[in-house]
Amino acid sequence: MKLFVLILNRFFWFFPTVLGLMIITFGISHVIPADPVAFLAGDNATNEQIEALRHQLGLDQPLHTQLTNYIFRLFQGDFGVSLYTLRPISDDLSSRLPATLELTLVSVLVSAMIGIPLGVFSAVHRNSALDHFLRIFTVSGLAMASFWFAILLQLLFAMEWNLTPLQGRVESWGPDVVTGFFLIDSIIAWDAEMLWDTVSHMFLPVATLAYPAMATIVRFTRAGVLNAMNSNYVLYEQSMGFPRSVIIWKYVLRNALIGTITQIGLIFGVLIANAVVVEAVFDWPGLGYYAVQSILQSDYNAIMGFTFVVGVIFIIVNLLVDISHGFIDPRESR
Amino acid sequence: MTQRLLRTLMRPSLKDLAKTALLSGLALGLAFTAAPTHEAEAKDKFIFANSSAYNTMDPQALFDVGRVAYRLNLYDGLMRWLDNPPKLNLWLAESHKISSDGKKYTFKLKDAKFHDGSPVEAKDVVYSTERILALKKGAASLFVKVLKPGTTKAVDPKTVEFNLVKPSAIFLATIPEIHIMNSDLMKKHEKGGDWSSAWVSKNDAGSGSFKLKRYDPAKGFLAERFTDHFYGWGDKYLDEIEFRTVVEINSRVLGMMKGDFHGADGYMPQDQIKRLRTSKNVNVMEQESMRIFYFIIHNARAPMNDIHFRKALSYAFDYDGFIKNILSNSVARNPVPLPNNIWGAPSGVKGYTFDLKKAAEHLAKVKKPIREITIGALAGYGQTEQAAVLLQNALAKLGVKSKIVAETWPVASGKMRNEQQMYDLLPLWKSTYYADPNNWVGEMYYSPNVGSRNNSWYKDAQVDKWIAEAIETTDRKVREANYAKAATKVMDDAAGIFVYNTKWFGPYSKKVDGVRFSPIGNAQEMRWVYFK
Amino acid sequence: MELTRFLIKKLVEDRVALLGVMLIFALFLAAFFAPVIATFPADVAEFHPKNRLLPPDDTFWFGTDRMGSDIYSRVLFGARITITIAIIAIGVSVLVGVPVGLIAGYYHGWFSEMLMRVSDIFLAVPQIVLAIAIAQTLGPSIENIILALSATYWPFWARLVYAETRSIQNETFVEACIALGASPWRIMVLHILPNISSSIIVRTTIGMGGTILTAATLGFLGLGAPAPSPEWGRMISESREFLPMAWWYATVPGIAIFLVVMGFNLLGDGLRDILDPRIRRSVSHDD
């Protein structure tokens, strides 16, 4: 019942939160001291031309009118047009969002698939050489600046040793878009070369994103496993003569994973944040770098557009994490 | 009991997990080995790595050097600038006539076709002209003062007539910037009075040497050879051209060295050019371009409105240190607001040198106290930051405090138009939009242009007279003399700090030949290029 | 005090945390003594283009940058910037976030909801994106970075303190205080706050590391102090067009960031082990 109230409460607050986000973003983006119209009109434009263009784009109306117009159109699914490129924002968002999501999800998967087993081993063989190495490895992972790590990886693997592509998402034009996730789309298109193209371009960016994520997962899994291993019921099973591997893989792991899974929600947030610089360094055509560019260029509609999308995603993810938290651990009241 | 059940339920799943892992690992391995090695070089496809993104395919929406490739290759103009020193050639026009009062320009068109097969006619020229005047974007600023809507006439299907408001010596030089668009095709996609902007931003309505095949603003564009192009083709040509957006310099350099790219932009830092020269795949072509680097000085604001302060600034910049050390002598010292290599540039002018003593002498004559000076810089353009830092350094030695404000180009270009917001100083390049001295000193220091192309707020009656005269008369000798005089006076007034003229270092694959460089177009016109 | 002595003793025993303390100490030393231990202290503002991009050697221990300045000296001065930004940003965000969280957590009702929703709005976007927007609005400078970081970080504290306050509220001793007639302020400050302080301290230490990384990222994107400031993130950004030839230009500031953040993380871990028995990273005391 408490859970139901929680969910209801969150849904109730969903719209005002998003609205508040939009208002703040609108305010900030219009205070930014760049004039996209002057830029759009070109180097040689006269001031009359600029004002004419401003009127044409509706940017000479009072701010609150602009805001209400924008929100009104948003409800109709119209994200407006980029002031920088004059292309519909929805086009940009729909092509860039899958790029970032694909990168993020693959990174989470990789970091979980490697991190969880490593965390378990680390806990089970506590104080072994592997354990010590892993602890250094994970602490490093959380101390490295992602953009620096990305540059280092580029320097070594792409520039010096020529093992991976330097940048970009694909060399070619990419597979025909079905889902927007190139990995899936190349499989649908049954194109091995395209698949390899996609995968090879993911090595460095995924490595950069997965490293800190993996570090967190290893640490939490290790802590969770150790905790579980010293708990009463495990002692009970040990005294009952259950084989050690059974204890670990069936019971300990499951309980340890609870903490890890809740962490994944947080990790997702960190990944999106790191994705911004990783996309910048690797020229990945995703939402993160698009966000930075729009801000630097004062592209109002683009800023509002991606803020809305990212904000909604974040709110949903937080909501899911809170809900799953409530499900998994009924002791936790909000 | 439940535990045994769980055990039986869990055990197979664990084995299955191991099995799936093994199998997927094998499958992945097979996929990798079976996938063919990636050949980025097609024999007939030329891949160019560009530093900016192609936001639109509309030739009348943009007018900048960084994104010129699609305009050059997909569209034609009545005339075209080619080679270095740049020469104006007839292109879609087979002849032109100017009336004696200099206000009527009549062009006769060649037999040419658009990409969809329909013929290029005078009505298309009229449409394109009206469109650029109506949209007021891109190169429109070059025409709005001389052409009024509705005055351009299609005399017959092959003859078009421009009726200027007043005579203009630069009209012919700017004519290549009206890209001729397929009016019938455009009108089919017109929506709500937008002059088909939405459609043509992603599509092709041109007649140029190449036809648009694929376009993705995040990626670039791909075009294939237009076999029916009016200019005709020899036996050596490219079948496809691809212009890709590669934002990072290192990625462009590495791609060139690996052979993934066949061409890249020619204004990279000298350190990278040195690196490119070591590659056996790359041929670095060197040409003197027409692109000056200078500091805009805000002439209307104290203390820059005092000529002594401006002279002090001019003596305070370490020209040699900058050109020799930071730029490794890859550029030529250019002391006036005109590139040395254009006609009309004054010859034998020495210009200012780095002399802190002289600077101090001039500074002594300036009213004290001198406030903190704001030096702008373009974020992401390391050279502008380094120049700003050098100047700041010298000013500090002279006892003048300054701070550097680095902002992106959209922000800076907006501030440049506003007298209050413009920085005290801003280092910048001025490229060639049309190859005429007016493009520099005429635009930059002419007082009617204040706030738009004159971002220095420099107003001098004598200079205005020379430039006004030079814009109207077509007498080359008069124009040459006037621009030289104007440029010399601007330099004497220290209205800006004029540093260098760029050299273009174009990296191209050793496998290609036929690259033709012009300061307008920067060797991105692909119809001359072929694989050896 | 007994507690501090106990704390220090425990820290010294945990060698890994001790390493963290030493790294942080080194950072403060470097920043404080920069003018003395730098080989070219003037290179923060003086430039010699003739010496640009020289590899590390006897004169320039870590090589020179694009303007010919000694990177070793500049990195040392950069430490001052790093410390300033981190301490002030965290300080401000804690001073704002903790009271907000306390109040929102202690009271129930629409005001608390309101405060938490406001912090949710800030948390809805990745911190870095919001910080970029704020920094861009205000203009690139160290003060504005601090402002941007504080403005985007306080919601974390608010949320943390809120959750902790709510969970402590139901404890008996709090009920006892209320029964005795203590005022809400008294309860919040004198009773609840001390009990959650260990959590705050641990998170603060680890938060320093994160803040330093975010500040470096902002510097990398060009939103930090303008040229020619020796800010570490900015140095890495400047280095990019000279790679891979001038590898030292990118590597050295990066290592500096790495060591400093590592120091704070190790210390934070150690403090967490000692102060917060609920969340131990390892259970036994002998490793």
Side-chain angles (χ1 to χ4, degrees):
Chain A
M1 184 53 201
K2 257 211 186 101
L3 192 61
F4 184 65
V5 172
L6 167 72
I7 298 177
L8 213 63
N9 193 318
R10 291 314 204 92
F11 273 120
F12 173 68
W13 280 103
F14 181 82
F15 284 109
T17 312
V18 174
L19 192 64
L21 187 62
M22 304 297 280
I23 294 178
I24 292 182
T25 316
F26 188 83
I28 292 181
S29 67
H30 275 78
V31 175
I32 292 178
D35 189 356
V37 187
F39 178 73
L40 200 58
D43 295 347
N44 287 330
T46 59
N47 284 333
E48 298 87 54
Q49 281 174 268
I50 296 177
E51 292 313 312
L53 193 55
R54 198 189 306 278
H55 180 74
Q56 203 176 37
L57 293 169
L59 291 176
D60 51 349
Q61 293 176 311
L63 283 185
H64 56 271
T65 319
Q66 288 187 46
L67 180 59
T68 34
N69 282 342
Y70 180 82
I71 295 184
F72 190 60
R73 267 182 269 124
L74 193 66
F75 273 109
Q76 299 171 339
D78 176 11
F79 280 88
V81 149
S82 161
L83 293 172
Y84 191 59
T85 67
L86 289 179
R87 289 175 53 249
I89 304 277
S90 40
D91 282 359
D92 287 335
L93 291 176
S94 61
S95 69
R96 287 174 175 273
L97 182 61
T100 301
L101 281 182
E102 187 174 31
L103 186 61
T104 321
L105 289 173
V106 170
S107 304
V108 170
L109 222 76
V110 166
S111 51
M113 280 189 344
I114 302 182
I116 293 179
L118 280 184
V120 172
F121 278 123
S122 183
V124 166
H125 303 286
R126 188 158 48 93
N127 285 333
S128 66
L130 177 65
D131 182 32
H132 281 306
F133 168 73
L134 275 177
R135 284 171 61 188
I136 297 176
F137 179 75
T138 54
V139 173
S140 314
L142 294 168
M144 281 237 227
S146 319
F147 60 91
W148 182 63
F149 188 49
I151 292 175
L152 275 191
L153 286 181
Q154 255 190 340
L155 197 59
L156 288 174
F157 287 88
M159 292 186 208
E160 288 291 324
W161 299 330
N162 218 344
L163 289 173
T164 61
L166 189 67
Q167 47 83 258
R169 198 178 172 198
V170 270
E171 198 66 38
S172 58
W173 284 80
D176 292 320
V177 174
V178 176
T179 61
F181 292 89
F182 284 7
L183 286 174
I184 302 179
D185 289 345
S186 9
I187 293 179
I188 293 179
W190 212 244
D191 188 341
E193 187 174 350
M194 184 72 67
L195 184 63
W196 173 238
D197 196 3
T198 308
V199 170
S200 63
H201 278 84
M202 285 192 122
F203 283 141
L204 294 187
V206 168
T208 313
L209 283 180
Y211 186 24
M214 204 188 311
T216 315
I217 291 180
V218 166
R219 282 155 65 85
F220 273 94
T221 311
R222 183 181 187 277
V225 168
L226 281 177
N227 241 337
M229 270 177 33
N230 282 320
S231 65
N232 289 332
Y233 68 83
V234 170
L235 241 104
Y236 168 71
E237 288 169 8
Q238 274 179 325
S239 62
M240 293 289 283
F242 276 45
R244 195 167 153 90
S245 59
V246 168
I247 299 176
I248 295 189
W249 288 103
K250 285 183 203 165
Y251 303 106
V252 171
L253 187 59
R254 238 184 318 163
N255 283 282
L257 278 184
I258 290 172
T260 311
I261 287 174
T262 21
Q263 285 308 311
I264 291 192
L266 283 172
I267 288 172
F268 189 69
V270 172
L271 279 182
I272 297 274
N274 281 335
V276 169
V277 274
V278 168
E279 287 176 16
V281 172
F282 288 111
D283 238 336
W284 194 266
L287 209 56
Y289 196 44
Y290 183 66
V292 177
Q293 294 258 291
S294 324
I295 293 176
L296 293 180
Q297 285 158 200
S298 256
D299 195 342
Y300 308 141
N301 288 339
I303 297 176
M304 299 287 275
F306 85 75
T307 306
F308 180 74
V309 169
V310 173
V312 167
I313 292 180
F314 255 65
I315 292 175
I316 291 178
V317 169
N318 276 332
L319 179 62
L320 288 176
V321 168
D322 278 353
I323 291 178
S324 61
H325 218 220
F327 267 124
I328 294 173
D329 196 348
R331 287 177 299 156
E332 293 249 343
S333 55
R334 193 174 54 85
Chain B
M1 224 303 270
T2 9
Q3 285 172 351
R4 214 184 291 152
L5 194 65
L6 280 167
R7 216 185 306 177
T8 41
L9 280 174
M10 286 287 277
R11 213 185 287 136
S13 61
L14 204 61
K15 272 213 193 127
D16 279 341
L17 202 69
K19 257 192 268 179
T20 0
L22 202 61
L23 279 172
S24 34
L26 274 172
L28 225 56
L30 276 173
F32 288 176
T33 48
T37 41
H38 186 64
E39 261 279 316
E41 298 172 66
K43 190 100 195 4
D44 47 6
K45 177 160 128 176
F46 184 100
I47 304 181
F48 187 94
N50 195 49
S51 53
S52 356
Y54 295 102
N55 306 111
T56 174
M57 289 283 105
D58 183 343
Q60 299 187 340
L62 296 175
F63 185 34
D64 64 0
V65 171
R67 290 171 283 187
V68 73
Y70 73 98
R71 302 197 296 279
L72 270 183
N73 291 296
L74 303 179
Y75 287 87
D76 293 318
L78 289 171
M79 306 189 75
R80 179 159 286 205
W81 287 100
L82 290 170
D83 298 319
N84 195 24
K87 283 229 310 284
L88 192 55
N89 295 31
L90 290 165
W91 199 244
L92 269 181
E94 76 173 7
S95 68
H96 73 273
K97 255 197 346 239
I98 310 178
S99 66
S100 45
D101 64 357
K103 297 213 288 201
K104 197 197 303 249
Y105 283 72
T106 315
F107 289 89
K108 265 197 143 45
L109 295 172
K110 290 186 188 153
D111 280 326
K113 289 215 185 73
F114 284 111
H115 294 152
D116 69 348
S118 57
V120 177
E121 296 183 324
K123 66 173 199 263
D124 301 301
V125 180
V126 173
Y127 173 83
S128 310
T129 312
E130 296 299 320
R131 183 172 188 270
I132 201 173
L133 290 173
L135 289 181
K136 300 197 181 61
K137 289 196 208 108
S141 56
L142 295 175
F143 304 107
V144 285
K145 288 231 170 83
V146 286
L147 285 176
K148 289 277 165 276
T151 58
T152 314
K153 291 194 185 51
V155 173
D156 64 48
K158 286 284 170 208
T159 314
V160 67
E161 189 183 275
F162 291 92
N163 293 296
L164 276 59
V165 162
K166 54 182 177 182
S168 161
I170 60 168
F171 180 68
L172 216 54
T174 55
I175 254 279
E177 289 307 324
I178 300 184
H179 300 278
I180 311 302
M181 307 175 86
N182 188 338
S183 59
D184 290 330
L185 183 58
M186 291 286 281
K187 288 187 179 144
K188 268 199 241 161
H189 297 274
E190 155 98 21
K191 227 198 290 198
D194 73 338
W195 287 86
S196 319
S197 296
W199 178 82
V200 81
S201 69
K202 307 189 244 204
N203 290 284
D204 179 359
S207 60
S209 312
F210 292 88
K211 233 174 12 178
L212 186 65
K213 202 165 138 183
R214 261 191 103 149
Y215 168 61
D216 178 350
K219 186 92 196 174
F221 70 93
L222 172 69
E224 61 184 359
R225 183 172 74 100
F226 177 45
T227 45
D228 284 333
H229 190 247
F230 76 91
Y231 200 86
W233 298 93
D235 49 1
K236 295 209 196 94
Y237 45 73
L238 296 170
D239 288 322
E240 279 187 342
I241 58 173
E242 187 179 313
F243 280 79
R244 245 185 242 180
T245 305
V246 182
V247 175
E248 288 303 321
I249 291 183
N250 246 313
S251 312
R252 299 203 290 282
V253 170
L254 216 80
M256 287 296 308
M257 289 169 74
K258 277 165 77 167
D260 289 343
F261 303 136
H262 307 110
D265 57 297
Y267 297 114
M268 288 196 235
Q270 204 54 21
D271 314 274
Q272 299 290 358
I273 299 290
K274 279 193 221 148
R275 199 171 145 216
L276 282 168
R277 283 208 165 109
T278 63
S279 162
K280 53 179 167 60
N281 283 328
V282 179
N283 172 30
V284 177
M285 302 171 55
E286 188 177 323
Q287 289 254 4
E288 189 166 4
S289 183
M290 291 180 181
R291 181 177 177 255
I292 60 171
F293 182 77
Y294 69 113
F295 278 83
I296 303 180
I297 300 180
H298 195 320
N299 281 264
R301 191 190 287 159
M304 285 80 59
N305 53 1
D306 183 337
I307 189 173
H308 289 290
F309 188 67
R310 295 201 302 271
K311 289 214 184 231
L313 288 172
S314 302
Y315 282 113
F317 187 74
D318 187 357
Y319 302 97
D320 277 348
F322 193 60
I323 293 176
K324 283 208 184 79
N325 300 126
I326 294 187
L327 297 178
S328 311
N329 259 330
S330 60
V331 297
R333 173 90 177 91
N334 200 106
V336 289
L338 274 177
N340 288 331
N341 50 351
I342 191 150
W343 58 268
S347 52
V349 175
K350 279 254 294 294
Y352 299 93
T353 53
F354 181 47
D355 190 334
L356 286 180
K357 251 195 35 224
K358 283 218 183 95
E361 280 168 22
H362 281 283
L363 207 57
K365 304 194 186 128
V366 179
K367 196 161 75 133
K368 308 288 189 309
I370 299 176
R371 62 175 171 85
E372 186 186 58
I373 307 292
T374 306
I375 309 178
L378 293 183
Y381 289 88
Q383 248 192 68
T384 62
E385 287 186 345
Q386 290 170 82
V389 170
L390 263 188
L391 189 61
Q392 181 185 53
N393 204 9
L395 285 178
K397 292 204 180 102
L398 291 169
V400 177
K401 275 214 175 86
S402 59
K403 71 170 185 196
I404 299 179
V405 175
E407 306 194 284
T408 56
W409 177 233
V411 178
S413 67
K415 285 192 175 171
M416 274 165 65
R417 300 164 167 282
N418 184 307
E419 194 172 344
Q420 278 71 45
Q421 286 183 356
M422 172 56 179
Y423 317 96
D424 295 327
L425 288 139
L426 178 68
L428 207 52
W429 289 273
K430 182 74 177 174
S431 306
T432 317
Y433 292 96
Y434 53 95
D436 186 294
N438 201 61
N439 179 79
W440 292 273
V441 69
E443 304 272 1
M444 288 153 47
Y445 294 102
Y446 190 40
S447 58
N449 287 346
V450 148
S452 57
R453 275 103 86 194
N454 177 343
N455 311 104
S456 316
W457 271 271
Y458 174 78
K459 294 181 187 152
D460 183 289
Q462 180 61 266
V463 169
D464 282 348
K465 235 177 82 193
W466 284 324
I467 296 179
E469 192 180 35
I471 292 181
E472 286 214 8
T473 177
T474 42
D475 185 337
R476 170 80 161 234
K477 282 221 184 61
V478 172
R479 303 189 70 218
E480 217 172 320
N482 281 21
Y483 284 122
K485 285 190 280 208
T488 313
K489 178 127 203 306
V490 168
M491 188 205 72
D492 284 335
D493 282 343
I497 306 179
F498 306 104
V499 185
Y500 70 74
N501 186 25
T502 321
K503 279 215 195 115
W504 173 84
F505 293 92
Y508 282 86
S509 163
K510 284 212 171 114
K511 295 202 177 125
V512 302
D513 212 346
V515 177
R516 282 171 82 161
F517 170 78
S518 171
I520 306 139
N522 289 295
Q524 290 187 24
E525 189 177 6
M526 291 294 124
R527 72 133 33 235
W528 318 108
V529 182
Y530 53 89
F531 280 97
K532 288 196 269 218
Chain C
M1 283 177 13
E2 266 303 321
L3 185 62
T4 349
R5 251 189 290 156
F6 168 73
L7 207 67
I8 295 177
K9 177 169 175 290
K10 277 281 162 191
L11 267 179
V12 169
E13 279 177 7
D14 185 345
R15 280 173 309 181
V16 180
L18 192 62
L19 177 64
V21 173
M22 292 196 321
L23 284 172
I24 299 174
F25 194 54
L27 169 72
F28 277 89
L29 277 183
F32 194 68
F33 287 110
V36 177
I37 50 177
T39 46
F40 293 90
D43 272 4
V44 177
E46 287 250 325
F47 306 99
H48 321 277
K50 275 195 305 276
N51 290 338
R52 70 193 295 263
L53 300 176
L54 294 174
D57 60 20
D58 294 324
T59 337
F60 305 108
W61 296 349
F62 289 146
T64 59
D65 68 5
R66 68 181 180 179
M67 297 291 285
S69 301
D70 177 41
I71 290 184
Y72 164 66
S73 308
R74 282 174 68 84
V75 165
L76 287 180
F77 277 91
R80 297 187 159 186
I81 299 178
T82 305
I83 291 184
T84 313
I85 294 179
I87 291 184
I88 301 182
I90 289 237
V92 170
S93 53
V94 165
L95 286 175
V96 171
V98 169
V100 168
L102 268 180
I103 295 175
Y106 185 78
Y107 292 102
H108 298 254
W110 68 270
F111 186 61
S112 298
E113 275 297 315
M114 213 46 202
L115 283 176
M116 278 303 108
R117 290 314 137 220
V118 169
S119 48
D120 269 356
I121 292 178
F122 277 86
L123 291 172
V125 196
Q127 183 193 14
I128 186 86
V129 174
L130 205 49
I132 291 172
I134 296 177
Q136 169 73 348
T137 310
L138 301 171
S141 77
I142 295 184
E143 296 82 31
N144 292 338
I145 284 200
I146 295 177
L147 204 72
L149 288 174
S150 317
T152 52
Y153 204 20
W154 71 263
F156 286 98
W157 301 109
R159 237 183 178 221
L160 171 73
V161 169
Y162 171 81
E164 301 255 342
T165 309
R166 280 286 162 102
S167 71
I168 286 193
Q169 251 184 346
N170 300 323
E171 303 262 336
T172 350
F173 78 91
V174 173
E175 288 183 8
C177 284
I178 300 177
L180 283 172
S183 75
W185 293 103
R186 216 181 150 78
I187 297 178
M188 280 194 275
V189 175
L190 291 182
H191 297 283
I192 297 184
L193 191 56
N195 277 285
I196 59 177
S197 61
S198 58
S199 195
I200 295 179
I201 292 175
V202 169
R203 291 298 214 290
T204 304
T205 318
I206 296 182
M208 290 283 275
T211 306
I212 293 176
L213 283 179
T214 312
T217 308
L218 287 175
F220 175 74
L221 290 172
L223 293 165
S229 172
E231 203 258 310
W232 293 342
R234 157 168 281 277
M235 284 170 75
I236 298 182
S237 157
E238 284 173 7
S239 74
R240 295 192 71 196
E241 66 183 85
F242 308 108
L243 296 176
M245 298 81 71
W247 55 267
W248 56 91
Y249 200 169
T251 322
V252 175
I255 293 182
I257 298 176
F258 175 65
L259 291 175
V260 166
V261 176
M262 173 105 97
F264 279 106
N265 284 356
L266 291 177
L267 177 61
D269 273 354
L271 283 176
R272 190 201 332 237
D273 275 358
I274 301 168
L275 293 175
D276 202 340
R278 282 181 299 163
I279 318 168
R280 286 193 190 281
R281 66 182 155 89
S282 62
V283 176
S284 99
H285 301 277
D286 49 287
D287 68 331

